[in-house]
Amino acid sequence: MAFAALLCIAACGADTGYPSKDITVVIPFNSGGAFDAYVRALVPGLEKHLPNKVNVLPKNLPGAGGRRGASDIFRARADGYTIGIFNMPGVLIPQLQNMPIGYELSQVTWLATLGYDSYVFVVKGDSPLNSIEDLKQLDRNITFGATGPGSTSYVATNIVNETLGIPFEIITGYKGSAGYLLGLIRGDFDAAMINYSTARSYVQSGDIKVLAVFGAQSNDPKIADARTLGAPELEQLRVMRMMGGPPNLPADIKALLETALLEAMEDTDFQTWLQSTGNEAHPADAVQTRTTVLEMTEFYDRFKQLLD
């Protein structure tokens, strides 16, 4: 009986009083961005739904497009005191390119999905172009702006145009998505691919207009989506916000964190924040999150030659 009790103590994390100290949530980006804002809005609810009244401490660890933070999460001790948010496909693309990254996404302990951003295909607000077909009828290369090769917007631009048969070229060198959106408004190029949360205010102001949406279904007959364009596979094009921890996180600790994250997303204050910012929650549990990671890996691997 004594031996059985010792085995239970060793195997059952809940019996050890987890969590007994503060939990760090790594944010692989600078403060002020979308991922940072999402985590900081979620933290109060997460603290409320975790036992033992511990603090949850956001830690910004920017660098290498999110790879530095992802590596820090992956290499942390598997005790539940370091978890973090992952940008998919931002951290997936370097892995498929066989870059030295310090993590393996198939081994991450996935906890939950917080939400996602769809991609939108946009042009200048006063552009005479009103559809993808209008673009194709120009009978020339369509110019796009992007930050640079390997960025998620650059990859999305490649995949969409190659799939839809749009002749194109990409102008790079812009600093961040806001930089190339301003370039679009100035008329530096014809179009851009960008996540909707970044584009939202420019769409609302009329500075840019949306021709197509990917990663979500269109609710506007003037705006195409992957299915109406005859390329349903492009529904995989979205920016995911996923929570994970290091490999081999004990099952009981994983379950506790998963439940607390899902409950925090239902918290009234977090829901109020979502509404005030125009964001939407798309929560998913640990099993579905892992499934989505595998599906995205398969999808982007099919376009591996377009990732550089």
Side-chain angles (χ1 to χ4, degrees):
M1 290 178 63
F3 180 67
L6 287 173
L7 283 178
C8 182
I9 292 173
C12 304
D15 291 343
T16 66
Y18 174 84
S20 60
K21 61 181 181 179
D22 295 345
I23 296 172
T24 296
V25 180
V26 175
I27 307 167
F29 303 99
N30 287 311
S31 59
F35 279 77
D36 178 74
Y38 226 92
V39 169
R40 291 180 186 274
L42 190 67
V43 158
L46 187 55
E47 290 179 336
K48 182 164 68 173
H49 292 287
L50 283 168
N52 302 336
K53 303 293 183 183
V54 299
N55 297 312
V56 177
L57 307 176
K59 175 186 175 183
N60 294 94
L61 196 62
R67 299 194 298 275
R68 180 186 176 202
S71 178
D72 189 77
I73 299 164
F74 189 82
R75 294 171 182 270
R77 180 177 294 180
D79 56 9
Y81 292 105
T82 299
I83 61 175
I85 189 166
F86 289 78
N87 165 22
M88 288 283 286
V91 292
L92 170 62
I93 291 169
Q95 179 172 305
L96 294 176
Q97 294 172 315
N98 297 316
M99 295 176 63
I101 52 175
Y103 57 83
E104 168 53 60
L105 294 173
S106 65
Q107 297 177 23
V108 170
T109 301
W110 295 107
L111 301 171
T113 296
L114 304 185
Y116 62 80
D117 273 345
S118 54
Y119 274 103
V120 285
F121 190 122
V122 296
V123 295
K124 191 176 178 181
D126 59 3
S127 170
L129 302 169
N130 292 303
S131 68
I132 301 298
E133 284 305 312
D134 286 349
L135 283 167
K136 291 182 178 181
Q137 291 173 11
L138 290 179
D139 196 28
R140 63 169 173 83
N141 281 354
I142 307 303
T143 54
F144 288 78
T147 51
S151 68
T152 54
S153 60
Y154 184 96
V155 169
T157 301
N158 269 302
I159 291 174
V160 165
N161 287 298
E162 290 285 349
T163 301
L164 298 180
I166 300 171
F168 71 102
E169 60 183 283
I170 304 177
I171 301 170
T172 61
Y174 293 92
K175 292 185 177 180
S177 54
Y180 68 81
L181 272 186
L182 292 175
L184 176 64
I185 294 168
R186 283 195 305 266
D188 294 355
F189 42 84
D190 299 312
M193 283 286 297
I194 192 164
N195 64 73
Y196 181 64
S197 66
T198 302
R200 183 187 298 111
S201 62
Y202 296 91
V203 174
Q204 292 171 344
S205 68
D207 289 314
I208 61 175
K209 61 181 174 181
V210 179
L211 301 188
V213 59
F214 302 97
Q217 291 185 348
S218 173
N219 55 11
D220 185 337
K222 297 179 182 178
I223 299 174
D225 59 26
R227 291 188 180 273
T228 60
L229 289 169
E233 67 274 20
L234 295 182
E235 288 185 344
Q236 289 279 4
L237 281 176
R238 54 178 60 156
V239 178
M240 307 291 298
R241 300 185 181 99
M242 296 174 162
M243 298 296 297
N248 303 315
L249 200 62
D252 57 322
I253 293 177
K254 171 187 172 182
L256 190 153
L257 288 167
E258 175 188 14
T259 299
L261 284 164
L262 293 173
E263 289 177 345
M265 279 185 273
E266 296 297 327
D267 203 71
T268 301
D269 289 342
F270 183 68
Q271 290 293 321
T272 300
W273 175 82
L274 285 173
Q275 293 173 9
S276 69
T277 57
N279 284 294
E280 296 181 7
H282 302 280
D285 63 18
V287 171
Q288 183 56 54
T289 300
R290 180 173 177 77
T291 299
T292 302
V293 170
L294 296 175
E295 290 173 348
M296 292 185 75
T297 302
E298 181 181 351
F299 171 78
Y300 281 94
D301 193 52
R302 288 168 51 196
F303 295 96
K304 198 169 184 178
Q305 75 279 7
L306 302 177
L307 300 184
D308 294 328

